[in-house]
Amino acid sequence: MDEDDRGPNDTTLTSWVPVDAASDFAVQNLPYGVFRRPGQVPRVGVAIGRHVLDLSIVERAGLLPPMPEGTFAAPALNPFLRLGRATWSSTRSAISQLLRPGSSLEGSQGEVLVPQDEVELLRPFDVGDYADFYSSEHHATNLGRMFRPDGEALLPNWKHLPVGYHGKAGTVVVSSTPVTRPRGLRLVDGRPEFGPCRQLDIELEVGTVLGSSWPAGGAGLTADAIAEHVFGFVLLNDWSARDLQSFEYQPLGPFLAKSFATTISPWVVTLDALRPYLVAGPRQDPPPAAHLAATEPRALDLHLEVELNGTTVSRTGFAAMYWSFGQQLAHLTSNGGGHRPGDLLGSGTVSGPERGSEGSFIELTWRGEHPLRLPDGTERTFLHDGDTVALKGWAGGTDGRPRVGFGRCEGTIAPAREE
Amino acid sequence: MDEDDRGPNDTTLTSWVPVDAASDFAVQNLPYGVFRRPGQVPRVGVAIGRHVLDLSIVERAGLLPPMPEGTFAAPALNPFLRLGRATWSSTRSAISQLLRPGSSLEGSQGEVLVPQDEVELLRPFDVGDYADFYSSEHHATNLGRMFRPDGEALLPNWKHLPVGYHGKAGTVVVSSTPVTRPRGLRLVDGRPEFGPCRQLDIELEVGTVLGSSWPAGGAGLTADAIAEHVFGFVLLNDWSARDLQSFEYQPLGPFLAKSFATTISPWVVTLDALRPYLVAGPRQDPPPAAHLAATEPRALDLHLEVELNGTTVSRTGFAAMYWSFGQQLAHLTSNGGGHRPGDLLGSGTVSGPERGSEGSFIELTWRGEHPLRLPDGTERTFLHDGDTVALKGWAGGTDGRPRVGFGRCEGTIAPAREE
């Protein structure tokens, strides 16, 4: 076959692998993940429709651009993350060609193409450092109103820098990992008491996955330097124990209330796949300092949803985030701290301005004043044992544009362990 | 030679390797580090006097207890950290025997025993997650008085749990790595401005190095479970940009002000070596909740010093820390978060009650009210470019007890990089 000169984002592309219109994994997506067939070692693959393309086999067959041998036979994306933008893009192009009708792989079964429901999806990369931001103006305003009713909703620094904190990389888990209700010290009748969290919440976020690396002690990255340093994105649920948080967090910030589990989607959707969905972000006033200035488009037009036990309880958009992922990266490196491949940046809870567009239960229920009513007749303010929360997110899917999504990012609450 | 049945901590032990009385590295110490001979790959070694014993050679010669092949040929201690207490202790005993007079190694030179000043000392382990605490009552009280002069010096949670936050593992560097003055947003005449930090400070800390591992989702560790999970300790300098910190830290805690560099000593002194120096900690009132209760002795009797450009500016003791490292570990795992080998816990700044026993310049100078006068006639509130800060620390060294120390943990301030 002659090489097809359409780019991997061309909306007219089709694949010899069947892809439902409602699938997150159109041939324009090609998200990376790590999967394991029963009894085999983990390998890197790409999702296409209901299948996974085994990249370790494709690599061994010499069908990919030059890269260190066994890059995709690894149990994590990190060796690939290290290689940088040129290799990421050329690899994406090669995979796109292989999945188009008429490619040498067409009709391959079993070995190279495996149904997703026959494999286990693992955490796609080893997380270096995990930093979590607070970059939705609506979310920060909502929490400010709840926790500081007599003060300004936004603190004085909020519009000058993307406020953030460091999290615990070791507790980042992949979708479907059970989330055990944490225990901790919280106030009961005004006195600290140790026991199971009573205000277990979620935070709907999008995580930025860094590739390449940047040395410590150097200049910071600019907000426009994302191309070389941002590999892609995951959905991220920053499970939060609100009662533990309110007792522990002064003066050094959230600690154990957010470090028992952070769930990410099994699929990393690349920046390359999402380029057609970069859009202008909200106007920033005051204008950010020069090192945080970004040229537009800086925001990602993703539709996001939260599902509780099968009922969609929030629908929101990622494009309205005040601070963009590029600005978060510029901020994070502005002190000279550098970054490593596999570092993960949480966007902060994504909340919109309307009721039903908030990314946490504390906001959706306004601290319990308006509990959610579920179809089974029960109510929720915070999560019960056995509840399942699934985050979903995608770009496109309308006006003839393919759907470029993450799959589900879900977790079910297991009861607190007896001590 | 017959096996000598004295334990590795026996104060009468001597070595065939010469050890000065003032050395931190008596035969009772045997701290682990990672070193590199010029042109060779990094290996694990143990410090003895002015030398390093190359453990990769000792292991290959079959002189150590059973362990996975190449454990000490690794560029980091992590493979050894994974093995757990029984192997740590039997390995320590074997090394102690090999260094006593009459051992089969006596007189070995060149290959197995190399002068420290002929090698490069590297970061001894890959840091998993780094959490930093705030466990000195004097330090927390001093900072509370400075930053909240009208309120209670200690916040309501402080005596109920060891307050802490997560840091950035990727910026932990070994002693002698230059520390580039960070840049960031700080208030200048009341307005945020981006530029080099003007209030660069240190925090004198002791880091706890975790070995073994503990699964997420399980019960928390008890404060007495340290034996199986604490491998040892390092000196730790939590360099802090006070002006960046005061602008950024509300409401989510310190972020960029503390994630440009954290310096640790090249030598990890083991819990086994420090057992003779476990002492009772300060009385805790109110008594901690059951999951944080520790049986005594819970504290470590270390003498600590801060040297600025060769002048000792602070002398303090680690035994007075309100919350112990065992209690910090119990707290950290109490939410079910687990830990990995190589996780690092900063003690928090070690400050004593007397003038001259504080572990930071902001305390030593009381925010600049009492600048330090140096022998060269200059004054310091915060650090100047070119300044060198060295932390020192040891147990013993008096009353015929051997000195069990860390060596120097130092860094020199390099000017902020031009943007």
Side-chain angles (χ1 to χ4, degrees):
Chain A
M1 179 190 80
D2 288 338
E3 186 89 341
D4 178 348
D5 64 3
R6 290 173 294 171
N9 295 334
D10 191 300
T11 58
T12 65
L13 290 182
T14 58
S15 175
W16 56 267
V17 182
V19 180
D20 297 344
S23 171
D24 277 346
F25 309 125
V27 71
Q28 289 83 0
N29 189 349
L30 308 178
Y32 292 87
V34 171
F35 69 100
R36 180 163 52 197
R37 291 185 175 88
Q40 297 197 9
V41 296
R43 295 167 168 186
V44 175
V46 146
I48 174 79
R50 295 173 181 275
H51 287 79
V52 187
L53 180 70
D54 184 334
L55 290 183
S56 72
I57 296 178
V58 175
E59 181 197 348
R60 220 166 46 229
L63 300 173
L64 296 178
M67 62 182 74
E69 192 184 326
T71 294
F72 288 129
L77 274 169
N78 300 63
F80 186 57
L81 294 181
R82 238 169 250 134
L83 302 181
R85 173 62 52 197
T87 304
W88 304 335
S89 295
S90 61
T91 302
R92 171 175 168 77
S93 295
I95 294 169
S96 175
Q97 293 288 344
L98 289 168
L99 288 170
R100 298 179 195 182
S103 98
S104 61
L105 280 187
E106 180 161 4
S108 300
Q109 290 289 344
E111 264 299 282
V112 71
L113 196 73
V114 51
Q116 284 174 34
D117 58 15
E118 291 179 12
V119 300
E120 183 186 4
L121 295 173
L122 306 176
R123 190 178 60 192
F125 57 99
D126 292 333
V127 182
D129 275 296
Y130 165 47
D132 193 24
F133 289 88
Y134 189 57
S135 291
S136 155
E137 183 169 0
H138 301 295
H139 172 71
T141 303
N142 287 340
L143 264 63
R145 283 201 190 121
M146 281 184 233
F147 290 105
R148 295 179 304 274
D150 302 323
E152 290 286 321
L154 290 182
L155 291 170
N157 56 15
W158 200 92
K159 291 216 164 177
H160 292 283
L161 52 79
V163 169
Y165 66 101
H166 294 292
K168 186 169 178 178
T171 56
V172 176
V173 295
V174 72
S175 179
S176 300
T177 306
V179 173
T180 303
R181 180 179 296 274
R183 300 171 73 92
L185 282 167
R186 64 278 192 279
L187 292 178
V188 178
D189 299 329
R191 311 172 79 131
E193 191 182 287
F194 184 73
C197 166
R198 296 171 177 186
Q199 297 184 341
L200 186 54
D201 200 355
I202 65 154
E203 295 196 341
L204 164 66
E205 304 194 20
V206 175
T208 302
V209 181
L210 301 186
S212 189
S213 65
W214 190 244
L221 288 164
T222 70
D224 292 333
I226 58 171
E228 194 49 50
H229 296 271
V230 172
F231 175 75
F233 303 90
V234 288
L235 292 178
L236 185 151
N237 188 343
D238 175 27
W239 305 93
S240 296
R242 301 289 175 202
D243 46 353
L244 277 57
Q245 186 177 351
S246 61
F247 185 61
E248 77 176 359
Y249 92 109
Q250 285 289 5
L252 301 184
F255 190 43
L256 302 193
K258 286 168 173 281
S259 63
F260 52 96
T262 301
T263 302
I264 61 173
S265 58
W267 299 109
V268 183
V269 177
T270 63
L271 175 61
D272 279 339
L274 289 169
R275 276 187 195 284
Y277 304 96
L278 284 167
V279 294
R283 181 162 168 272
Q284 294 184 303
D285 179 22
H291 70 294
L292 296 178
T295 53
E296 298 293 350
R298 74 178 198 275
L300 262 184
D301 188 18
L302 299 177
H303 175 80
L304 303 173
E305 295 188 353
V306 179
E307 206 182 85
L308 171 60
N309 299 338
T311 299
T312 301
V313 296
S314 178
R315 291 178 176 83
T316 194
F318 191 54
M321 296 297 278
Y322 191 88
W323 294 102
S324 70
F325 56 95
Q327 292 176 307
Q328 291 172 343
L329 178 58
H331 182 58
L332 191 68
T333 57
S334 65
N335 69 349
H339 75 77
R340 299 178 288 177
D343 282 359
L344 174 65
L345 316 187
S347 61
T349 310
V350 185
S351 291
E354 304 89 19
R355 292 306 311 270
S357 70
E358 301 94 340
S360 68
F361 288 103
I362 197 169
E363 290 169 274
L364 283 165
T365 68
W366 206 258
R367 253 183 151 169
E369 282 178 34
H370 308 288
L372 293 173
R373 268 163 233 274
L374 298 182
D376 66 2
T378 61
E379 292 191 341
R380 290 292 184 288
T381 298
F382 294 105
L383 294 170
H384 294 185
D385 291 347
D387 281 349
T388 297
V389 175
L391 310 183
K392 299 188 286 185
W394 62 88
T398 55
D399 303 326
R401 299 177 96 181
R403 184 155 146 157
V404 175
F406 295 86
R408 291 165 75 85
C409 173
E410 72 173 35
T412 299
I413 308 303
R417 177 155 166 166
E418 295 296 322
E419 296 284 291
Chain B
M1 176 192 80
D2 289 337
E3 187 88 340
D4 178 347
D5 64 3
R6 291 174 294 172
N9 294 334
D10 190 301
T11 58
T12 66
L13 290 182
T14 57
S15 175
W16 57 266
V17 182
V19 180
D20 297 344
S23 171
D24 277 346
F25 309 124
V27 71
Q28 290 83 359
N29 189 348
L30 308 178
Y32 292 87
V34 171
F35 69 100
R36 180 162 53 197
R37 292 184 174 89
Q40 296 196 11
V41 295
R43 296 166 167 187
V44 175
V46 144
I48 175 81
R50 296 173 182 276
H51 288 78
V52 187
L53 180 70
D54 184 333
L55 289 184
S56 71
I57 296 178
V58 174
E59 181 197 349
R60 219 165 47 228
L63 300 173
L64 296 178
M67 61 182 75
E69 191 183 327
T71 294
F72 289 129
L77 275 169
N78 300 61
F80 187 56
L81 294 181
R82 238 168 250 135
L83 302 180
R85 173 64 49 197
T87 304
W88 303 337
S89 294
S90 61
T91 302
R92 172 173 167 79
S93 294
I95 295 168
S96 174
Q97 293 289 343
L98 290 168
L99 288 169
R100 298 177 195 184
S103 98
S104 60
L105 281 187
E106 180 160 6
S108 302
Q109 289 288 345
E111 263 301 281
V112 70
L113 196 73
V114 50
Q116 284 173 34
D117 57 15
E118 292 179 11
V119 299
E120 183 186 4
L121 295 173
L122 306 176
R123 190 179 59 191
F125 57 99
D126 292 333
V127 182
D129 275 296
Y130 164 47
D132 194 23
F133 289 87
Y134 189 59
S135 291
S136 155
E137 184 169 0
H138 302 295
H139 172 71
T141 303
N142 287 340
L143 264 64
R145 284 201 189 118
M146 281 184 231
F147 290 104
R148 295 180 302 275
D150 301 324
E152 290 286 319
L154 290 182
L155 290 171
N157 57 14
W158 200 90
K159 291 216 163 176
H160 292 283
L161 52 78
V163 170
Y165 66 100
H166 294 293
K168 186 169 178 177
T171 55
V172 175
V173 295
V174 71
S175 179
S176 299
T177 306
V179 174
T180 303
R181 179 179 299 273
R183 301 170 73 93
L185 282 168
R186 64 276 190 281
L187 292 176
V188 178
D189 300 329
R191 309 171 81 129
E193 190 182 289
F194 185 73
C197 166
R198 296 171 175 187
Q199 298 185 341
L200 186 54
D201 199 356
I202 65 154
E203 294 197 340
L204 165 65
E205 304 195 20
V206 175
T208 302
V209 182
L210 301 187
S212 189
S213 66
W214 190 247
L221 289 164
T222 70
D224 293 334
I226 57 171
E228 195 49 49
H229 297 270
V230 172
F231 175 75
F233 304 90
V234 288
L235 292 177
L236 185 151
N237 188 344
D238 175 28
W239 304 94
S240 296
R242 300 290 177 203
D243 45 355
L244 277 57
Q245 186 177 351
S246 61
F247 185 61
E248 77 175 359
Y249 93 110
Q250 285 290 6
L252 300 185
F255 190 44
L256 302 192
K258 287 170 172 279
S259 63
F260 52 96
T262 300
T263 303
I264 61 174
S265 59
W267 299 109
V268 183
V269 177
T270 63
L271 175 61
D272 279 339
L274 288 169
R275 277 187 193 283
Y277 304 95
L278 283 166
V279 295
R283 182 164 166 272
Q284 293 183 302
D285 181 21
H291 71 293
L292 296 177
T295 54
E296 299 292 352
R298 73 177 200 274
L300 263 184
D301 189 19
L302 300 176
H303 175 79
L304 303 173
E305 295 188 352
V306 179
E307 209 182 84
L308 171 60
N309 299 339
T311 300
T312 300
V313 295
S314 178
R315 292 178 176 84
T316 193
F318 190 54
M321 296 297 276
Y322 190 87
W323 294 103
S324 69
F325 56 95
Q327 292 176 308
Q328 291 171 342
L329 178 58
H331 182 57
L332 192 66
T333 57
S334 65
N335 68 350
H339 75 76
R340 298 178 290 178
D343 281 358
L344 174 65
L345 315 186
S347 62
T349 311
V350 185
S351 290
E354 305 89 19
R355 295 303 314 266
S357 69
E358 300 94 340
S360 68
F361 288 103
I362 196 171
E363 291 170 274
L364 283 163
T365 67
W366 207 258
R367 254 183 148 170
E369 284 178 32
H370 310 288
L372 293 172
R373 269 164 231 274
L374 299 182
D376 66 3
T378 62
E379 291 190 344
R380 287 292 182 290
T381 297
F382 294 105
L383 294 170
H384 295 186
D385 291 346
D387 280 350
T388 297
V389 175
L391 310 183
K392 300 187 287 186
W394 62 88
T398 55
D399 303 326
R401 300 176 96 181
R403 184 156 146 158
V404 175
F406 295 85
R408 291 165 75 86
C409 173
E410 72 174 36
T412 298
I413 308 303
R417 175 154 169 168
E418 295 297 323
E419 298 284 294

